[in-house]
C-alpha cells in the first residue's frame, strides 16, 4: 500500500449491516481496527449507528456499543466509503434463482455499485460463498476497469448465533492468486486468529461449498433414517442413541429435523450446478430435506382428523434459538397445513412476523402441536395436547 494513499479506515465491509458482515466488523473493531460498514439497507445502518443490533447475535451487543462509542465502528449507505479503506471485504448474499441456478453476478454487482470509488492498491476480500470461478471473474472485472488491486477469497464459516466466538476460534481459510495478495489477506485475518489455512482461490471456493453441502447431506441422512424407522413404528431417537453411544465413528449422526436456512440448500445447488447438475447425492439430499414437511403432514393425516383440527406450529425460525426466518421450512409446513386443517396457528418467541400469535394462545386454541424450530422454550411445554417433536427436544421420543 503506498504511504501517501488516502486511507482513513482500516476495513470497509460491503454488506456490513447483515448477519455475516456486522459480526465481522465488530470483531475487527474489538481488535483495535477502524471499520466502516457499507450497506444499502438504511434501516440497518441507522440501527448500527445507534449502537444497537438489528438482529440477535450472542455476545455482540456489548462490543458493538463499545466500538461505536469509541469511534472505531460506523455504518453508512454512502458508497464513497469503500474508497477510504485499505481493506475492502465483500459479504453480500449469493442466492440461487427460481430455477436453482447460481447468481454469478451478486458479488460483481455489489462492486459495480461502488466501482467509481475503488482505487489502486486496495485489498479486496471476497467473503461471500461464491460459485467456483467468481473470484477469477472479480479479478477480470477489476482489471477491465484498469484497477490494480489485490484480490483474495476468505470464506466465512461461522454458525449464526456463534459468530463472536467462532470468528476468533475457527481456522480461517485464506486464498489468493499472488503471494502479495495472500500475505495481505493473511495479515488482516491474523487480527482475529492465528490459525490460517492457505489455498488457491478455486480450492477455497470448493472448500466452502463442500463444507455446507456436507452438513446438508448429513442432515438428509438423519432425516431419511428417521422416516425409515418411523414407517416401521420404531423410535429413531432410541436407535440413534444405541448407534452413537460411546461409538466415535457414529458420533456425528444428527437428530432429524428441518434442514433449512439461507446457506445449506442454496450452496448444495451451487455445487450441483458447478458439476453440470451431475450430483446425485446433493439432489437426493434436497428431495429428502425439502420433502420433510410433506412427509410430516402425511403422517399427521394418518393419525389425526386434520380437517377438523386446529394445528399449532411452534417456532418459525430456520433453527433453534434464532430470530432468522429466512428459508425456514416451518413456513413450508404452514402452507401445507393451511390446505389440510381447520386452522393453523404459528408462534415464535424470536421471529418478528405480524402473522404470529402468542404461545399461550396457541396452547389454548390448538388441538395438536408441531415443534418446527427447536427453541429451548418448547422443551418443557405445559400442555395435555399431542406434541409432534421430530427433534427429540422434549425427550419423549420422535415417532410420528
Amino acid at each position: 500500500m503506498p504511504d501517501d494513499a488516502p486511507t482513513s479506515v482500516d476495513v470497509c465491509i460491503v454488506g456490513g449491516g447483515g448477519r455475516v458482515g456486522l459480526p465481522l466488523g465488530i470483531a475487527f473493531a474489538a481488535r483495535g481496527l477502524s471499520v466502516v460498514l457499507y450497506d444499502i439497507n438504511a434501516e440497518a445502518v441507522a440501527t448500527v449507528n445507534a449502537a444497537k443490533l438489528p438482529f440477535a447475535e450472542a455476545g455482540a451487543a456489548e462490543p458493538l456499543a463499545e466500538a461505536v462509542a469509541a469511534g472505531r465502528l460506523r455504518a453508512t449507505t454512502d458508497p464513497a466509503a469503500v474508497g477510504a479503506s485499505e481493506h475492502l471485504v465483500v459479504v453480500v448474499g449469493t442466492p440461487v434463482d427460481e430455477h436453482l441456478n447460481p447468481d454469478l453476478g451478486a458479488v460483481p454487482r455489489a462492486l459495480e455499485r461502488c466501482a467509481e470509488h475503488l482505487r489502486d492498491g486496495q485489498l479486496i476480500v471476497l467473503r461471500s460463498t461464491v460459485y467456483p470461478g467468481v473470484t477469477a471473474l472479480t479479478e477480470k472485472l477489476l482489471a477491465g476497469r484498469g484497477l490494480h488491486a489485490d484480490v483474495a477469497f476468505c470464506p466465512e464459516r461461522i454458525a449464526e448465533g456463534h459468530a463472536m466466538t467462532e470468528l476468533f476460534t475457527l481456522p480461517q481459510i485464506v486464498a489468493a492468486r499472488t503471494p502479495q495478495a495472500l500475505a495481505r489477506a493473511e495479515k488482516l485475518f491474523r487480527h482475529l486468529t492465528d490459525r490460517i489455512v492457505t489455498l488457491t482461490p478455486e480450492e477455497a471456493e470448493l472448500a466452502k461449498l463442500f463444507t455446507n453441502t456436507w452438513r446438508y447431506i448429513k442432515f438428509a441422512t438423519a432425516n431419511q433414517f428417521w422416516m425409515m424407522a418411523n414407517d416401521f413404528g420404531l423410535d429413531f431417537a432410541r436407535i440413534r442413541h444405541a448407534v452413537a453411544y460411546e461409538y466415535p465413528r457414529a458420533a456425528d449422526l444428527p437428530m432429524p429435523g428441518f434442514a433449512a436456512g439461507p446457506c445449506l440448500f442454496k450452496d448444495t445447488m451451487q455445487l450441483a450446478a458447478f458439476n453440470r447438475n451431475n450430483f446425485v447425492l446433493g439432489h437426493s439430499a434436497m428431495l429428502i430435506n425439502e420433502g420433510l414437511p410433506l412427509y410430516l403432514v402425511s403422517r399427521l393425516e394418518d393419525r389425526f382428523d386434520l380437517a377438523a383440527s386446529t394445528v399449532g406450529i411452534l417456532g418459525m425460525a430456520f433453527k433453534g434459538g434464532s430470530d432468522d426466518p429466512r428459508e425456514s421450512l416451518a413456513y413450508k409446513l404452514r402452507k401445507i397445513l393451511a390446505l389440510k386443517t381447520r386452522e393453523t396457528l404459528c408462534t415464535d418467541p424470536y421471529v418478528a412476523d405480524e402473522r404470529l400469535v402468542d404461545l399461550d394462545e396457541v396452547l389454548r386454541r390448538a388441538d395438536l402441536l408441531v415443534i418446527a424450530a427447536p427453541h429451548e422454550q418448547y422443551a418443557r411445554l405445559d400442555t395435555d395436547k399431542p406434541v409432534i417433536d421430530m427433534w427429540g427436544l422434549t425427550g419423549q421420543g420422535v415417532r410420528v
Side-chain angles (χ1 to χ4, degrees):
M1 190 76 180
D3 291 339
D4 59 350
T7 301
S8 59
V9 294
D10 297 313
V11 182
C12 174
I13 301 178
V14 177
R19 293 176 183 267
V20 175
L22 178 54
L24 179 66
I26 294 170
F28 278 134
R31 291 295 170 90
L33 277 66
S34 56
V35 180
V36 60
L37 310 173
Y38 165 55
D39 203 292
I40 61 175
N41 185 337
E43 183 178 352
V45 165
T47 302
V48 170
N49 285 333
K52 298 178 181 178
L53 288 171
F55 48 80
E57 183 63 53
E62 184 175 339
L64 168 63
E66 291 175 354
V68 171
R72 292 193 305 273
L73 180 69
R74 65 181 180 87
T76 182
T77 58
D78 184 359
V82 304
S85 66
E86 178 180 354
H87 308 97
L88 189 66
V89 183
V90 182
V91 295
V92 296
T94 53
V96 292
D97 66 18
E98 66 273 20
H99 305 294
L100 304 183
N101 295 314
D103 180 0
L104 304 184
V107 170
R109 281 196 303 273
L111 289 172
E112 287 284 2
R113 276 196 292 268
C114 54
E116 64 182 289
H117 304 289
L118 299 175
R119 53 185 174 76
D120 292 343
Q122 288 181 300
L123 171 66
I124 298 176
V125 176
L126 309 186
R127 196 158 174 80
S128 306
T129 305
V130 298
Y131 183 86
V134 167
T135 303
L137 182 65
T138 302
E139 292 168 334
K140 186 189 302 183
L141 169 70
L142 296 173
R145 298 186 68 95
L147 277 166
H148 300 283
D150 289 320
V151 177
F153 177 61
C154 306
E156 64 85 15
R157 297 193 293 167
I158 60 172
E160 191 175 294
H162 301 276
M164 301 315 298
T165 299
E166 293 188 345
L167 281 168
F168 302 108
T169 58
L170 290 181
Q172 175 62 55
I173 294 174
V174 172
R177 195 85 54 200
T178 68
Q180 176 176 300
L182 192 68
R184 292 181 69 187
E186 181 173 339
K187 181 180 179 181
L188 174 64
F189 281 97
R190 283 194 181 278
H191 286 94
L192 305 183
T193 178
D194 285 330
R195 303 167 71 190
I196 302 293
V197 180
T198 60
L199 293 173
T200 67
E202 288 73 25
E203 288 172 335
E205 289 166 339
L206 273 182
K208 178 56 195 292
L209 291 180
F210 285 170
T211 298
N212 282 357
T213 300
W214 174 237
R215 284 179 56 78
Y216 194 64
I217 290 173
K218 281 204 298 185
F219 292 145
T221 301
N223 286 333
Q224 182 83 86
F225 285 173
W226 173 64
M227 288 186 275
M228 287 179 179
N230 209 49
D231 286 343
F232 280 88
L234 303 174
D235 188 346
F236 174 76
R238 288 171 53 82
I239 300 169
R240 177 186 172 275
H241 172 74
V243 168
Y245 181 68
E246 295 187 5
Y247 192 69
R249 289 187 289 279
D252 62 344
L253 176 60
M255 285 292 285
F258 291 152
C263 297
L264 301 188
F265 166 73
K266 66 98 174 173
D267 289 344
T268 302
M269 293 304 97
Q270 288 203 88
L271 186 57
F274 171 73
N275 203 47
R276 302 175 296 279
N277 278 327
N278 180 22
F279 190 21
V280 174
L281 271 175
H283 286 126
S284 296
M286 175 191 69
L287 294 174
I288 293 165
N289 289 332
E290 288 292 310
L292 194 57
L294 288 162
Y295 172 84
L296 183 60
V297 172
S298 72
R299 295 294 298 186
L300 295 181
E301 287 183 297
D302 292 340
R303 287 183 53 189
F304 305 97
D305 181 5
L306 292 184
S309 302
T310 295
V311 177
I313 300 178
L314 310 183
M316 303 304 291
F318 82 86
K319 69 175 184 176
S322 172
D323 66 342
D324 190 350
R326 290 179 298 169
E327 311 305 323
S328 170
L329 287 176
Y331 284 89
K332 186 171 185 175
L333 177 65
R334 176 181 176 271
K335 289 179 181 178
I336 300 166
L337 285 174
L339 298 172
K340 306 280 188 178
T341 63
R342 180 178 61 198
E343 187 179 13
T344 301
L345 304 173
C346 303
T347 188
D348 193 291
Y350 308 115
V351 171
D353 185 332
E354 62 184 13
R355 296 171 294 180
L356 306 186
V357 298
D358 290 339
L359 175 60
D360 289 343
E361 182 177 350
V362 174
L363 294 178
R364 184 178 71 254
R365 294 174 53 193
D367 303 301
L368 167 67
L369 303 167
V370 180
I371 298 177
H375 297 320
E376 63 177 15
Q377 293 92 328
Y378 304 145
R380 297 167 298 278
L381 292 169
D382 183 13
T383 181
D384 57 358
K385 311 288 178 65
V387 178
I388 305 303
D389 174 24
M390 61 183 160
W391 310 87
L393 186 67
T394 60
Q396 302 301 310
V398 295
R399 285 180 57 193
V400 176

